[in-house]
């Protein structure tokens, strides 16, 4: 049995808890959080503490707090020589205090409250300072996902930048699409099958091969028409820039 | 039985053919194309012609060619007073020659060769000059999709701009994500579950509510770290602009 203590109970750790509870070889023995938390009925048996000096003895401690707080928080822990990992894509491993054995347990996914996530295919990017800890994190990862990969902090940083493009920026483009339609009371629902198919396509086709549209075809007439339609839109500059960049690669 | 002639056999019309062939009340009685086409075995019974003066008598003629050619092509047709529609999001209805009754049959989706598409949920945006033609297009649309909506040419143009954002530009961001990973030999596959979930999320959550990431959190440290990582990247300007725009909306 792998005994786990969750340090912090935000989006990532609450989703991890839901995933771990399905495993028979993982036991989340305690949740620490600075402020009180509300657990759904099926989880209410798990001990909770808001006192940093009352943290239980466990095999792995998983920090799920904001990047900026990892350093100070891990320094304030009373435990020593334990395996302490964080779950962030953006913070290097050495942000964790040296007084414990350090590691990374980064599920490469976007998590929102009230939106369940199936972990099966989610890459768990792990890193550790020694092979024994690595093996334990690998075992822990495999209890929730088929895809557990070793990724060092440098590569993880690159993954994190890429994730900003394909997740945060993509989602922002969805928002722009919605707002353009809203002006004319056209329901955003109409775009949803297109959004789904665009994401589905690149599961089997490279994005470059999947590309279509006026920029790809160098269809100047359509581009000009679109720019005219966006004349007073705050998103004209986004259209201009992305069209220019898109066209450049085929020049 | 609704008799259909396909005029042009590119991506849209070939996918429409595959959808129509499953319907019992639609019969594609002929395909016209300037150059020869290859049909899969199950479709080889459909008459083909490359001669514009040998087009059959039908209830609906569906033009599936490039936007720029619709005007000249529809002018060159020998048929008259027939219902002739095009399938483009970008071209207004009046691009079709006046010598026929005009309409629009625009499936709001991205089509690629060799990538099958399920039409069930794809919005078919229709428009016609008179109510009888409209009713026929509606009936035709409903044979392949549950979502058939009346959209005039002005609104369709707005939809088309939005589609560029949520499809072409989004796909370009996927490509950027892939290229950033490639530099460090990190497989793009790792991002695919994230891409899928980002698209899935907004099927039930508004993009604004679904947003996460450093720009949303105003996490200056992470943003600076990312900009440093992108220092020699051709995509630094894209990161800068989209981050700036994203942040502005919460200022």
């Amino acid at each position: 049995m792998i005994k786990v203590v969750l340090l912090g109970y935000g989006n990532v750790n609450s989703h991890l808890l839901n995933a771990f509870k399905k495993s028979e070889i993982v036991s989340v023995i305690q949740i620490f959080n600075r402020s009180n938390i509300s657990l759904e009925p099926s989880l209410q048996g798990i001990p909770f503490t808001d006192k940093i000096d009352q943290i239980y003895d466990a095999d792995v401690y998983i920090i799920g707090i904001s990047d900026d707080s990892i350093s100070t928080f891990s320094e304030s822990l009373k435990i020593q020589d334990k395996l302490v990992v964080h779950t962030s894509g953006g913070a290097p491993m050495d942000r964790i205090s040296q007084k414990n054995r350090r590691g990374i347990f980064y599920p490469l996914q976007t998590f929102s409250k009230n939106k369940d996530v199936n972990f099966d295919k989610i890459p768990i990017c792990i890193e550790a300072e020694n092979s024994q800890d690595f093996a334990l994190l690998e075992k822990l990862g495999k209890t929730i996902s088929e895809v557990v990969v070793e990724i060092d902090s440098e590569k993880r940083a690159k993954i994190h930048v890429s994730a900003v493009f394909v997740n945060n920026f993509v989602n922002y483009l969805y928002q722009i699409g919605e707002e353009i339609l809203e002006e004319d009371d056209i329901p955003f629902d109409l775009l949803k099958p297109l959004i789904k198919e665009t994401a589905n396509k690149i599961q089997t086709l490279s994005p470059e091969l999947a590309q279509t549209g006026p920029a790809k075809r160098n269809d100047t007439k359509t581009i000009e028409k679109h720019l005219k339609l966006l004349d007073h839109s705050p998103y004209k500059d986004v259209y201009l820039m992305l069209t220019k960049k898109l066209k450049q690669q085929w020049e």
Side-chain angles (χ1 to χ4, degrees), chain A:
Chain A
M1 189 66 91
I2 307 174
K3 286 188 284 183
V4 172
V5 167
L6 299 178
L7 302 172
Y9 196 69
N11 262 335
V12 178
N13 269 357
S14 64
H15 278 96
L16 279 180
L17 177 59
N18 273 299
F20 286 142
K21 80 175 176 197
K22 289 169 202 146
S23 161
E24 285 175 7
I25 65 160
V26 179
S27 171
V28 176
I29 58 165
Q30 190 185 34
I31 300 168
F32 164 87
N33 200 53
R34 282 199 199 281
S35 54
N36 219 330
I37 59 171
S38 69
L39 286 172
E40 56 176 278
S42 70
L43 302 171
Q44 280 170 3
I46 302 170
F48 167 83
T49 183
D50 56 5
K51 296 183 182 59
I52 200 134
D53 54 358
Q54 292 183 8
I55 287 173
Y56 292 174
D57 195 48
D59 301 309
V60 191
Y61 296 82
I62 302 181
I63 299 178
I65 62 178
S66 72
D67 290 10
D68 279 354
S69 316
I70 293 173
S71 173
T72 322
F73 173 73
S74 66
E75 201 56 60
S76 75
L77 287 169
K78 308 300 175 209
I79 50 171
Q80 280 192 9
D81 297 319
K82 295 290 184 178
L83 175 55
V84 175
V85 303
H86 76 65
T87 52
S88 158
M93 184 165 69
D94 60 17
R95 191 141 328 155
I96 300 170
S97 161
Q98 275 200 18
K99 66 181 169 190
N100 283 293
R101 284 147 31 220
R102 303 176 289 191
I104 299 294
F105 194 84
Y106 167 49
L108 178 37
Q109 187 51 284
T110 170
F111 299 102
S112 296
K113 283 222 151 64
N114 310 320
K115 170 85 180 66
D116 270 353
V117 155
N118 178 1
F119 271 79
D120 288 3
K121 310 284 177 195
I122 296 178
I124 311 286
C125 305
I126 58 171
E127 185 181 0
E129 291 182 297
N130 69 63
S131 58
Q132 215 176 329
D133 289 340
F134 183 86
L136 183 63
L137 292 180
E138 195 172 28
K139 193 174 163 190
L140 183 66
K142 285 189 173 160
T143 64
I144 56 175
S145 169
E146 298 161 18
V147 189
V148 182
V149 281
E150 178 172 14
I151 300 282
D152 63 29
S153 289
E154 214 175 300
K155 285 191 175 178
R156 188 157 38 78
K158 292 299 270 297
I159 291 177
H160 196 240
V161 183
S162 296
V164 168
F165 280 93
V166 306
N167 170 21
N168 307 143
F169 292 164
V170 159
N171 184 69
Y172 182 54
L173 295 182
Y174 296 160
Q175 188 189 330
I176 294 177
E178 183 182 34
E179 286 182 19
I180 291 171
L181 293 189
E182 261 172 9
E183 287 167 20
D184 291 80
D185 292 320
I186 306 164
F188 181 53
D189 278 354
L190 290 181
L191 288 184
K192 289 180 179 175
L194 176 63
I195 285 171
K196 243 188 179 165
E197 175 65 10
T198 305
N200 275 340
K201 247 189 193 179
I202 56 93
Q203 307 287 326
T204 49
L205 229 61
S206 86
E208 211 181 328
L209 282 176
Q211 193 58 277
T212 60
K216 160 91 187 199
R217 292 192 306 269
N218 201 7
D219 176 351
T220 328
K221 268 193 205 165
T222 300
I223 292 169
E224 270 166 24
K225 196 178 148 191
H226 285 173
L227 289 173
K228 217 171 157 186
L229 281 169
L230 294 171
D231 218 9
H232 301 286
S233 162
Y235 305 119
K236 189 178 179 180
D237 48 355
V238 177
Y239 188 99
L240 267 170
M241 164 175 248
L242 293 177
T243 296
K244 193 177 134 219
K245 305 280 297 185
L246 248 167
K247 278 168 69 177
Q248 272 169 0
Q249 63 183 324
W250 292 291
E251 270 168 18

